[in-house]
């Protein structure tokens, strides 16, 4: 049977680690509900479906900073990429896949397209 070595850890180190863990746990439970991070969810109705190499709807209106779901129902990969000064991009969405993106916080009309199939375009209105 192998011998086990005893490792001595300074008591002060153990006490500091335990105190840090207790403070972290207390902060998680004592923070007001509004300060706790909640899972990001798409706004109701904020959804773009890609089918037959087209965005549906072609024009979508969302609130500033809304999380929008994109569903790819094609057999080819696609993206939703803001053009011009728009700062949103889904990255490549594989066939049958889905993802989300966050709409710009500034109100306005934003054009977007598929980086892979640039004939596909749509408009996101933020208000």
């Amino acid at each position: 049977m192998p011998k086990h070595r005893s490792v001595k850890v300074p008591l002060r180190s153990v006490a500091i680690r335990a105190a840090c863990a207790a403070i972290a746990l207390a902060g998680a439970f004592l923070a007001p509900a509004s300060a706790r991070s909640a899972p990001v969810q798409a706004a109701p109705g904020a959804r773009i479906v890609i089918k037959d190499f087209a965005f549906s709807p072609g024009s979508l209106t969302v609130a500033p900073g809304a999380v929008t779901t994109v569903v790819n129902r094609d057999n080819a990969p696609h993206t939703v990429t803001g053009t011009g000064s728009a700062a949103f991009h889904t990255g490549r969405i594989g066939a049958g896949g889905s993802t989300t993106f966050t709409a710009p916080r500034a109100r306005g009309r934003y054009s977007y397209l598929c980086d892979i199939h640039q004939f596909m375009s749509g408009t996101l209105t933020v208000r």
Side-chain angles (χ1 to χ4, degrees), residues 30-41:
L30 297 177
S34 61
R36 294 184 202 140
S37 62
V40 175
Q41 295 182 352

Side-chain angles (χ1 to χ4, degrees), residues 2 7 11 26-27 32 51 62 75 77 79 88 95 97-98 104 109 112 115 125:
V7 176
L11 184 58
K51 184 168 173 54
V62 298
N75 289 325
T79 72
F88 58 93
S98 67
R109 284 179 51 114
Y112 61 87
D115 274 347
T125 302

Side-chain angles (χ1 to χ4, degrees), residues 50 55 77-83 88-93 112-121:
I50 303 169
F55 296 113
H78 295 289
T79 72
V80 173
T81 305
T83 61
F88 58 93
H89 178 61
T90 60
R92 186 174 277 229
I93 308 165
Y112 61 87
L113 54 77
C114 172
D115 274 347
I116 304 165
H117 310 99
Q118 295 189 1
F119 60 87
M120 295 173 57
S121 63

